[in-house]
Amino acid sequence: MKKFTAVITLTLVIALLAGIAASAESGYAYGESVLNEFAPGWTAIQADETVISLTPGACQGEIRFGWLSKDENSRFMISESSDMSASKEIEVETSGAIDGYISNKVTVSSLEEGKTYFYSYTENGVWSEPAPVSVQNDEDFTVLYVSDAQIGRSGDETLEEVLIRDTCGWNYTVNKMTGRYSDAAFVISGGDQFQSPDSITQMKAYLSPEALRSLPVANTIGNHDNGATLYGDIFNNPNEVKELFGDEAGTGYYYTYGDVLFITVNSNNNFLFDTAKVLKSAVKAYPDAKWRVVTMHHNPYSASLSDGEYSEERLLFSALYDCYDIDLVLSGHDHLYSRTEPMYAGKKAEGEGTVYVQSSSASGSNYDPLPDELASFTVSAFDVRVPTYTALTFTDGAITGTTYRTDTDEIIDSFEVKDNTSDSRADIFSVMISMIKTLFSMI
């Protein structure tokens, strides 16, 4: 990546930092010294015309890359050496993108476990500095889960001080979790990466953490990413499933890592058959996966809902998850952390069921309160105005989750999910029966 020197006058720095410090006390894990150190780099973040995104590939050993440019002739190469000797050039797929940009996408396959590679690409005709990338173990691996970085959410998104403090918070969380879990296989983001779906400025801010040059992120379409093409232009998702009522942003998709099937659902699309198509396509492609994990932005069992409150997501989506034997559902949207008991047909499961985990703000940009009385299905909840992240470790016997607050590194929740995946084949009849059971549980 090209290096830029930020030239900011002392007067501007002082004025900018004074404005930020006055409004950044609540909701963020970092101190004023961290913000003061981070703020002058904002110019360099925005001057970089072509930041790159890394996403997990269709299976372990594959990584996908995406970036925007004004140049129609972008190139990409990968090597086993940091000096890029004996490099292999890989064809770049291009298409038209938002605001006259070109969307550039590359898929690199057959990467060996445990080996470090280096990649470089052209940024509007100039080769970037080589960056390292590697593939982790496929057994007992860890994935980091966050949601709602939502750069620009903390105030007026047109103001630099708002964007800077949110971006600082997001960088702080990424540095915290990758510092503790340096061998994480990848990150999952539960949606609302940006506040506005067409903001190049917010996209650059979201992709600014240095760790994300080497660590893939599986991003989810949130309601704030919905309605523009930017999400699909910059993120190179695998196995996208064509939906009848898909959005400009993109569609649901799926991928595997080790013995885990990960399915990402666009929960802005409430058409039952589209979501069923995504799930069916994924399970059909990988019927023998040990674990099935879904990511969606909206939570069917949000801790913001008390017992008896109607939830459209619960009625529609959870019925499908019951029928496709989903072990774990990851979500966000309500800017608070919570976890449910195993759930089936709208109730706490007597035996096997699906556990729903909802992540808080990943940046500190916004939080929602818990209700006065928690629903009976909520087993853990945390709405302190501090960003959180969850580490998920997958073994043959269980999915182990550990959730941290980023200011003190304190563990606020830990849990274990046992296997509930079977060889069931859902059909529309079984889904409708599950929906009826869920509906009666909500009455």
Side-chain angles (χ1 to χ4, degrees):
M1 182 175 296
K2 288 187 293 186
K3 301 296 183 183
F4 294 90
T5 301
V7 180
I8 309 177
T9 67
L10 180 60
T11 302
L12 178 59
V13 172
I14 293 173
L16 180 61
L17 295 182
I20 298 172
S23 55
E25 294 180 359
S26 64
Y28 299 95
Y30 57 76
E32 185 175 342
S33 61
V34 174
L35 184 61
N36 290 349
E37 183 178 353
F38 178 83
W42 177 253
T43 298
I45 290 172
Q46 292 305 314
D48 189 351
E49 283 301 317
T50 45
V51 290
I52 195 166
S53 73
L54 281 63
T55 58
C59 58
Q60 187 197 19
E62 181 176 291
I63 298 177
R64 300 163 75 95
F65 302 80
W67 71 100
L68 304 181
S69 68
K70 294 293 187 179
D71 183 0
E72 297 182 2
N73 301 304
S74 292
R75 299 169 64 187
F76 182 98
M77 59 183 177
I78 193 162
S79 172
E80 295 182 21
S81 302
S82 59
D83 63 2
M84 301 306 293
S85 60
S87 62
K88 176 183 179 182
E89 187 158 352
I90 299 177
E91 183 179 357
V92 179
E93 296 182 6
T94 61
S95 60
I98 196 168
D99 293 344
Y101 280 91
I102 303 297
S103 174
N104 305 285
K105 295 183 177 179
V106 166
T107 300
V108 180
S109 304
S110 302
L111 299 174
E112 295 181 27
E113 181 183 300
K115 181 181 288 188
T116 298
Y117 299 83
F118 296 86
Y119 70 90
S120 181
Y121 60 103
T122 55
E123 299 182 339
N124 294 321
V126 179
W127 284 101
S128 66
E129 292 187 6
V133 69
S134 60
V135 175
Q136 301 298 327
N137 249 337
D138 63 353
E139 295 181 357
D140 299 356
F141 65 92
T142 296
V143 172
L144 301 172
Y145 180 62
V146 292
S147 189
D148 295 84
Q150 208 164 345
I151 307 299
R153 180 66 175 86
S154 65
D156 183 349
E157 63 182 290
T158 65
L159 299 178
E160 272 197 340
E161 61 257 33
V162 170
L163 298 172
I164 291 172
R165 68 183 179 228
D166 290 355
T167 307
C168 181
W170 169 234
N171 274 260
Y172 191 82
T173 296
V174 171
N175 292 339
K176 278 277 189 172
M177 65 185 186
T178 56
R180 180 179 289 271
Y181 292 95
S182 58
D183 59 348
F186 55 93
V187 177
I188 297 176
S189 170
D192 280 1
Q193 287 75 214
F194 327 128
Q195 171 67 8
S196 292
D198 58 353
S199 174
I200 299 292
T201 298
Q202 294 168 20
M203 179 270 290
K204 290 180 179 181
Y206 175 72
L207 294 174
S208 65
E210 187 63 28
L212 301 189
R213 304 286 71 74
S214 302
L215 187 63
V217 182
N219 298 280
T220 307
I221 301 175
N223 56 298
H224 282 269
D225 311 304
N226 204 34
T229 66
L230 180 58
Y231 171 96
D233 293 337
I234 190 64
F235 300 131
N236 187 5
N237 297 329
N239 296 323
E240 293 180 310
V241 179
K242 186 176 181 180
E243 298 173 358
L244 185 61
F245 291 99
D247 182 77
E248 285 182 274
T251 67
Y253 64 96
Y254 61 91
Y255 55 102
T256 63
Y257 201 98
D259 206 14
V260 186
L261 171 59
F262 295 93
I263 308 170
T264 305
V265 168
N266 177 12
S267 59
N268 299 289
N269 181 355
N270 288 332
F271 185 54
L272 182 70
F273 292 95
D274 274 344
T275 305
K277 183 179 179 182
V278 175
L279 293 166
K280 182 177 181 179
S281 299
V283 171
K284 182 178 180 180
Y286 299 99
D288 300 321
K290 172 71 175 178
W291 304 105
R292 297 175 183 174
V293 177
V294 164
T295 306
M296 62 185 293
H297 184 58
H298 303 83
N299 187 357
Y301 291 94
S302 172
S304 65
L305 299 173
S306 56
D307 281 328
E309 286 193 79
Y310 175 80
S311 168
E312 184 178 89
E313 287 80 21
R314 190 180 310 170
L315 180 62
L316 295 175
F317 294 97
S318 64
L320 286 166
Y321 303 152
D322 291 344
C323 293
Y324 280 97
D325 299 311
I326 302 302
D327 298 294
L328 177 65
V329 173
L330 305 171
S331 65
H333 184 62
D334 287 325
H335 309 155
L336 53 87
Y337 175 81
S338 70
R339 173 174 57 89
T340 70
E341 301 276 10
M343 304 298 295
Y344 184 82
K347 297 180 179 180
K348 289 186 285 187
E350 300 269 334
E352 297 171 337
T354 303
V355 174
Y356 293 78
V357 172
Q358 174 175 270
S359 189
S360 181
S361 168
S363 63
S365 63
N366 187 254
Y367 301 87
D368 288 353
L370 288 168
D372 293 335
E373 185 175 343
L374 291 178
S376 58
F377 54 72
T378 301
V379 69
S380 177
F382 178 82
D383 70 341
V384 177
R385 298 175 68 83
V386 175
T388 64
Y389 69 91
T390 300
L392 299 165
T393 299
F394 295 86
T395 66
D396 185 59
I399 305 171
T400 302
T402 308
T403 302
Y404 300 85
R405 54 187 295 170
T406 55
D407 58 342
T408 63
D409 295 318
E410 176 187 354
I411 295 173
I412 61 169
D413 189 27
S414 58
F415 57 92
E416 191 173 72
V417 178
K418 296 294 188 180
D419 180 30
N420 85 3
T421 300
S422 69
D423 293 327
S424 66
R425 295 291 182 269
D427 55 31
I428 190 60
F429 178 74
S430 63
V431 173
M432 295 304 294
I433 292 296
S434 183
M435 287 180 66
I436 292 171
K437 289 180 179 178
T438 303
L439 180 60
F440 274 103
S441 75
M442 294 163 55
I443 296 176

